[in-house]
Amino acid sequence: MSESKLKELRSDIDELTELSKLAKRKKVQDILSLEIRKLETDWINIKEKEKSVTPMEADPVPTTSVPVKIKRYQIKLNGYGWDQSDKYVKIFVTLKNAHTIPKEQVYCTLTDRSMELHVENLENKDYLLVINKLLEPINIEESHWKQKTDMIVVFLAKSRPNITWSHVIEIEKKFEDQRNNRFKADDSDKKDPQDSVMDLMRKMYETGDDEMKRMIAKTMYESQHKKKTDLVDL
């Protein structure tokens, strides 16, 4: 069951990521980015639960006898999951084989309201995740990060412990507040999360260019077709 859910979430994340690349309007890009992060958080939470039930040993770090110089390029990351405790906001970044590189190749640049995660020379690629305008200030000295199997976890220490963050960044909260005000009559607790994604795509279709409309129409058709197929299977 969880494996099927993971595949569904990953498919939704990949599809929304493709739509984000096509989006030209800043507001549309921000909305998609917010949805991607929510789905990434769901995916990571399920993955972490699986690991707690069946813990796995990390693969040994591969060694190379002769280093070869190969030109690397940088990949900017957008998706991440997050969680929090009384003391920390935890940022989860999934990167395959992230646990295999030396610790000095993974580091963060922090300010009281921003973070940059750098992962250098992971399979000849550099990765960068930038998060600006955090919802609350952080304590730089007490913040840290860890490498786990196929994942980097950044522990952002709250400057005000025991304060619950509703979102990671300010703009996410603003979008959420605007959406709640606009759709406050909706029974959001009973609404299917898939329907929310479809609503977003309909709005994007109305404002997008021809290429985006073609992509969204295809996605909406396939999603509706899948729902009908699921009902037939039942």
Side-chain angles (χ1 to χ4, degrees):
M1 183 66 181
S2 59
E3 185 66 26
S4 173
K5 182 65 175 177
L6 283 172
K7 288 182 180 178
E8 285 295 320
L9 284 172
R10 179 49 57 188
S11 297
D12 290 342
I13 292 168
D14 292 342
E15 201 161 272
L16 286 172
T17 300
E18 289 300 318
L19 291 173
S20 178
K21 293 178 182 177
L22 293 175
K24 295 181 179 179
R25 293 170 62 86
K26 182 66 168 60
K27 185 174 182 180
V28 172
Q29 292 173 347
D30 290 336
I31 292 173
L32 279 174
S33 179
L34 175 59
E35 291 300 320
I36 290 170
R37 290 171 189 170
K38 287 181 178 178
L39 293 179
E40 282 279 5
T41 298
D42 292 341
W43 187 92
I44 288 170
N45 286 338
I46 294 174
K47 197 74 174 175
E48 287 293 305
K49 287 181 181 178
E50 281 190 344
K51 289 181 180 179
S52 66
V53 175
T54 55
M56 298 177 63
E57 293 294 331
D59 295 332
V61 178
T63 57
T64 55
S65 55
V66 180
V68 179
K69 272 196 172 182
I70 299 177
K71 186 177 180 180
R72 306 198 307 266
Y73 60 93
Q74 187 181 80
I75 298 175
K76 289 188 176 180
L77 301 171
N78 293 313
Y80 60 85
W82 74 286
D83 197 0
Q84 63 182 309
S85 62
D86 290 341
K87 188 174 180 180
Y88 295 102
V89 170
K90 293 171 278 188
I91 305 296
F92 302 94
V93 181
T94 53
L95 280 175
K96 187 177 180 180
N97 296 326
H99 58 287
T100 65
I101 61 175
K103 290 183 178 181
E104 59 268 21
Q105 291 174 210
V106 179
Y107 61 93
C108 282
T109 303
L110 304 174
T111 71
D112 64 336
R113 295 298 290 271
S114 71
M115 65 154 277
E116 290 185 7
L117 170 65
H118 299 262
V119 181
E120 295 184 341
N121 198 15
L122 174 58
E123 297 179 348
N124 300 318
K125 299 180 184 69
D126 293 339
Y127 292 88
L128 173 65
L129 171 67
V130 179
I131 304 179
N132 290 318
K133 295 185 179 179
L134 294 168
L135 185 66
E136 294 276 346
I138 61 172
N139 186 321
I140 298 173
E141 289 74 19
E142 295 185 11
S143 299
H144 58 280
W145 49 91
K146 292 182 180 179
Q147 290 169 255
K148 295 190 175 183
T149 304
D150 297 327
M151 183 183 297
I152 306 295
V153 184
V154 182
F155 295 80
L156 300 176
K158 296 178 178 179
S159 286
R160 297 193 297 165
N162 302 315
I163 296 296
T164 300
W165 290 27
S166 59
H167 301 79
V168 176
I169 56 177
E170 287 181 350
I171 193 170
E172 289 178 343
K173 187 176 187 306
K174 290 179 180 178
F175 272 119
E176 191 73 20
D177 291 343
Q178 289 175 3
R179 186 165 61 178
N180 288 340
N181 290 335
R182 188 178 301 173
F183 302 106
K184 60 184 177 180
D186 292 347
D187 188 0
S188 58
D189 291 334
K190 297 180 181 178
K191 194 171 184 180
D192 188 338
Q194 183 69 21
D195 291 340
S196 298
V197 175
M198 295 299 292
D199 289 343
L200 282 172
M201 287 196 287
R202 289 190 186 96
K203 292 182 179 66
M204 290 171 56
Y205 184 88
E206 295 172 358
T207 59
D209 57 19
D210 292 340
E211 178 63 20
M212 183 181 291
K213 287 181 178 180
R214 183 190 66 77
M215 184 74 175
I216 294 174
K218 178 175 179 293
T219 302
M220 292 174 68
Y221 170 79
E222 290 175 350
S223 178
Q224 293 297 330
H225 180 71
K226 182 178 182 302
K227 282 186 177 180
K228 292 178 182 178
T229 304
D230 290 342
L231 289 174
V232 171
D233 290 341
L234 289 173

